[in-house]
Amino acid sequence: MKKRFLFPTLLALAGSSALADKVVSIGYSGPLSGGAAFYGKDVQSGIDMAIAELNRSGVTVKGEKVTFKLVALDDRYLPNETATNVKRLTSQGIDIVFVPHAGGILTVQPLTNRDPEFLLVAYSSEPKILESRNPLTFMLPPRYDNYLQPFAATQMKAFGKRLGLIGTTSAYGKQWTDAISDEWKKQGGTVLSNNGVDYNTTVDYSSAVTKALAEKPDVLFIGGPSQPTALVVKAAREQGFKGGFIVMDQAKFEQMDQVIPRNYLDGSVGVLPTKEFPGTQVFVTLYQRLYKKIPTSEAALNYMGMNIIAKAMELAGTTDDPVAIRAQLNAAAKALPQNKTVFKLFGVTDRGHVDAQFLVASVKGGQYTRLRLIKTFK
């Protein structure tokens, strides 16, 4: 455990002094500008919402009242800037850092057990995050390889065996593209040319879509942040594409249908919207009241993650020992009140992965049809 020398703030009250609450800063490095800004701000809002509730209800760690403060830095979805931000945050004495993209997470994972140590809260479904067996990583969403088999089987049966590729070219997007291509071939399909583009910087997707459609695909693999993903769908439908879409888990139907007509999404498979899950209505209602937008799993899982972190601090009796906090994550998740869990929660695995339930879905006639239950544990 690293040593810290802390000087509590003294407040003068009516001629006497009283010890203020201990303020614990939580770090965040994510895209707050550029094409992925909506995505990064959804993650941030989930953490913010949890912190506001925790500060109202009160958290006590080893007899000391604690309040939380989020320190958020923009990395523009660039891993090198994530690393710079994380070093800046940890140099300020921050022991918990949230990062919501695979490139940034994989870049900073090797830094977690250096001096100073920190607990990395990872919001990405990239399997390599867990495969690194990093002891100071806490991963929130399900691995994306859970989705490959049901996505491919559903779309191949419904539309045909020719798969076109227009995924984002981030590190995460490239991994997803390779994985779905392998699964598609495994199931007997044909994978066409890769026409992936950078969803963070591209404005007009018509050229990439035109190239992909020239090969006459039955299904298109697409995905990145929700808003640009919706524009890919729009370009494809307006160019006459009648086939299906496999939508990468980063893109969310409930945000895409705010950009394009719901019927454009017919024939798509992806993650069931958070508001469609049983038992999420309290969270959804409170979130919409605060932020005037529909919550996605970015907000919901990071809200859960922050609540688990706070409970783990209580159980560990420390706010600044990442190893001790990490050791209490499973117990903390199991002790979390039902109204803080959003999704059905079973605990945290030995590898530091949230074990919860998710559902994949297809869109038919403007309605969401549940396809399969997915557990984050694998």
Side-chain angles (χ1 to χ4, degrees):
M1 175 180 172
K2 56 196 166 192
K3 293 182 178 179
R4 293 275 173 80
F5 297 95
L6 302 175
F7 299 90
T9 302
L10 295 179
L11 298 179
L13 297 174
S16 63
S17 294
L19 191 63
D21 295 350
K22 179 178 181 179
V23 178
V24 176
S25 293
I26 303 295
Y28 172 67
S29 177
L32 300 176
S33 62
F38 287 107
Y39 169 76
K41 290 176 181 177
D42 284 337
V43 172
Q44 182 182 359
S45 64
I47 305 167
D48 273 329
M49 181 175 172
I51 285 176
E53 291 180 2
L54 289 164
N55 287 346
R56 284 197 301 270
S57 61
V59 175
T60 301
V61 178
K62 206 172 182 179
E64 184 175 24
K65 189 174 180 182
V66 169
T67 59
F68 296 100
K69 178 181 74 171
L70 184 65
V71 181
L73 300 178
D74 182 13
D75 62 23
R76 299 184 299 158
Y77 215 58
L78 300 172
N80 62 317
E81 295 198 20
T82 310
T84 299
N85 286 349
V86 167
K87 290 174 184 176
R88 178 180 166 188
L89 292 166
T90 56
S91 72
Q92 297 173 16
I94 293 176
D95 300 286
I96 311 293
V97 181
F98 286 72
V99 177
H101 52 100
I105 293 163
L106 294 171
T107 297
V108 302
Q109 266 190 316
L111 306 178
T112 58
N113 55 5
R114 296 183 185 177
D115 188 13
E117 293 178 325
F118 67 96
L119 180 62
L120 172 62
V121 187
Y123 186 81
S124 171
S125 59
E126 169 56 61
K128 289 183 179 179
I129 295 167
L130 290 176
E131 291 164 2
S132 71
R133 296 184 178 273
N134 181 282
L136 283 172
T137 296
F138 176 29
M139 178 171 162
L140 301 178
R143 298 165 51 132
Y144 68 66
D145 48 5
N146 285 293
Y147 301 117
L148 301 175
Q149 192 283 329
F151 280 7
T154 299
Q155 297 303 72
M156 196 177 294
K157 180 179 179 180
F159 295 100
K161 293 190 173 184
R162 295 173 63 82
L163 179 68
L165 306 171
I166 322 179
T168 187
T169 54
S170 67
Y172 174 72
K174 290 176 181 177
Q175 294 292 338
W176 237 111
T177 299
D178 289 344
I180 193 64
S181 297
D182 289 345
E183 180 63 31
W184 193 265
K185 293 174 185 175
K186 180 181 175 182
Q187 295 191 30
T190 299
V191 177
L192 307 175
S193 301
N194 185 354
N195 291 284
V197 292
D198 184 350
Y199 282 36
N200 194 41
T201 58
T202 303
V203 176
D204 184 357
Y205 295 90
S206 58
S207 177
V209 169
T210 299
K211 291 177 183 178
L213 295 186
E215 295 185 294
K216 300 190 182 305
D218 301 307
V219 178
L220 289 176
F221 166 70
I222 62 174
S226 300
Q227 289 75 15
T229 302
L231 297 180
V232 177
V233 173
K234 182 175 186 288
R237 293 304 191 208
E238 291 181 350
Q239 291 186 36
F241 180 61
K242 304 295 184 184
F245 294 102
I246 292 176
V247 182
M248 185 192 301
D249 61 333
Q250 184 179 1
K252 302 301 187 295
F253 288 142
E254 61 265 49
Q255 291 183 322
M256 294 171 68
D257 69 15
Q258 301 298 302
V259 179
I260 56 176
R262 174 79 65 85
N263 67 309
Y264 279 20
L265 294 172
D266 279 356
S268 300
V269 293
V271 179
L272 184 72
T274 297
K275 63 181 180 179
E276 301 287 329
F277 279 76
T280 61
Q281 285 310 304
V282 172
F283 172 78
V284 169
T285 300
L286 291 174
Y287 184 91
Q288 288 182 305
R289 186 181 303 160
L290 286 170
Y291 299 103
K292 313 304 179 188
K293 58 183 178 180
I294 297 169
T296 62
S297 58
E298 279 78 27
L301 274 172
N302 283 280
Y303 171 87
M304 285 173 59
M306 184 61 220
N307 276 288
I308 292 171
I309 290 290
K311 178 59 69 174
M313 287 178 175
E314 289 183 334
L315 296 176
T318 178
T319 61
D320 59 11
D321 184 346
V323 175
I325 295 166
R326 165 67 179 80
Q328 292 296 329
L329 291 178
N330 182 45
K334 291 179 177 179
L336 213 60
Q338 184 64 38
N339 65 342
K340 302 296 183 185
T341 60
V342 188
F343 304 108
K344 189 172 182 180
L345 180 62
F346 302 103
V348 176
T349 71
D350 290 342
R351 289 195 186 186
H353 192 197
V354 167
D355 187 11
Q357 284 185 349
F358 266 78
L359 293 166
V360 298
S362 64
V363 185
K364 296 179 181 178
Q367 301 298 314
Y368 299 108
T369 301
R370 299 176 188 182
L371 297 177
R372 177 185 292 190
L373 174 69
I374 296 291
K375 287 188 67 181
T376 59
F377 175 73
K378 184 175 180 180

